[in-house]
Amino acid sequence: MSDEEKDKNLHRLEDLAALAGVSISTVSRALNDSPLVSDRTKKKILSLAQSNNYSGRLRDRVYTEDADKTISIVIPPPQGRDTRLSDPFVLDLIGGIGDALKEQNCDLLISHLTMTDYHSAANLVASGRCDGLIVLGQSTLHKQLNMLAAQRVPFVTWGAQFPDQNYCSVGSDNRQGGRRATNHLIRMGRKRIVFVGDCEGPEMKLRQEGYREALAENGIEFDPRLVRAAHFYPESAMEAV
């Protein structure tokens, strides 16, 4: 095969999907003979894959044979910090997810994707390495997550909820949390309450809204000088105040 012919080969699922005019998930299902894809579409995709020397691998059963599904936990780095599995908070989340998956006879895969765009997450499922994703935290990825949902990739996010959101998210009531924390300090007689956090992320933005609501409810004027930007680790918070 000539170098020119090699250059024409397809190496990525998204390239094959674009050529076939279907979604990445449809290509993945077709290549893995899923009953969710019509025979006509399967034949079209397989024919295009063969004629264009598609080099992507089909689904391999690399996990335990008795597991029904494999779910991947995706841990995108929060603003200004690399996520470490040794973080007790992250470990607690993974432990809870792992226990729940075990009850459902599912395997667990941990993936460190940067999630700078939705393709990396879509390819993780389309490649057959897992059947679905749990994204631990939205960070600043709301737009990418909406695009991932448009590709019909099965995933759920641990995070906040927004009016224009096209994906499923599960999380705490961040606004109520901010309100309750602020009210607690007010009941202790505190008047000048500093809010520390990076409001570029959706969860922290909602907490600040709760903070401001609590101040207003108690007749305390909001002072923007008492809002300090900081990342999700103690050293950053200490520097901010």
Side-chain angles (χ1 to χ4, degrees):
M1 183 182 296
S2 67
D3 291 338
E4 183 178 353
E5 288 174 325
K6 289 180 180 178
D7 290 339
K8 294 180 180 179
N9 291 352
L10 295 181
H11 303 287
R12 304 186 307 169
L13 276 171
E14 52 260 49
D15 295 332
L16 184 55
L19 188 62
V22 297
S23 68
I24 294 174
S25 57
T26 298
V27 170
S28 175
R29 293 185 181 116
L31 294 177
N32 290 287
D33 198 26
S34 169
L36 298 176
V37 180
S38 68
D39 290 338
R40 180 180 179 182
T41 301
K42 284 181 187 177
K43 290 179 181 178
K44 176 183 177 181
I45 292 172
L46 291 172
S47 176
L48 287 171
Q50 184 176 12
S51 61
N52 289 275
N53 299 306
Y54 174 66
S55 60
R57 66 182 179 85
L58 300 183
R59 183 184 182 97
D60 295 322
R61 297 299 299 177
V62 296
Y63 305 104
T64 56
E65 289 296 329
D66 59 346
D68 293 332
K69 299 287 184 180
T70 297
I71 304 299
S72 176
I73 295 178
V74 177
I75 311 175
Q79 305 94 297
R81 182 188 185 190
D82 290 332
T83 302
R84 298 184 181 277
L85 289 180
S86 57
D87 187 320
F89 181 66
V90 175
L91 281 175
D92 193 39
L93 289 174
I94 294 175
I97 293 172
D99 290 342
L101 290 177
K102 183 179 180 181
E103 293 176 0
Q104 299 298 320
N105 196 36
C106 292
D107 272 332
L108 171 64
L109 174 69
I110 298 176
S111 178
H112 293 280
L113 297 179
T114 58
M115 291 283 290
T116 52
D117 57 50
Y118 69 91
H119 292 97
S120 57
N123 285 338
L124 186 62
V125 177
S127 67
R129 294 178 62 194
C130 65
D131 298 283
L133 308 172
I134 297 175
V135 183
L136 289 185
Q138 289 160 309
S139 187
T140 55
L141 302 172
H142 177 57
K143 180 179 179 180
Q144 290 92 321
L145 292 171
N146 264 344
M147 295 174 71
L148 186 63
Q151 292 293 320
R152 303 182 68 83
V153 175
F155 77 97
V156 63
T157 300
W158 176 67
Q161 185 78 35
F162 295 94
D164 64 337
Q165 184 171 311
N166 297 322
Y167 55 91
C168 175
S169 63
V170 178
S172 58
D173 189 334
N174 288 283
R175 180 183 282 105
Q176 180 66 7
R179 183 188 291 112
R180 292 183 64 180
T182 307
N183 278 326
H184 172 71
L185 293 173
I186 292 173
R187 286 194 298 269
M188 294 176 64
R190 305 296 188 260
K191 300 296 183 182
R192 289 178 53 80
I193 301 171
V194 177
F195 182 90
V196 181
D198 186 351
C199 291
E200 289 186 11
E203 296 95 337
M204 195 59 67
K205 182 178 180 181
L206 289 171
R207 292 172 194 175
Q208 191 196 94
E209 290 177 3
Y211 157 79
R212 297 185 63 167
E213 289 171 2
L215 293 178
E217 291 167 0
N218 288 275
I220 301 175
E221 185 177 355
F222 169 70
D223 186 349
R225 294 173 299 178
L226 297 180
V227 175
R228 307 293 175 84
H231 298 304
F232 279 98
Y233 53 98
E235 295 82 3
S236 179
M238 292 177 65
E239 291 174 2
V241 297

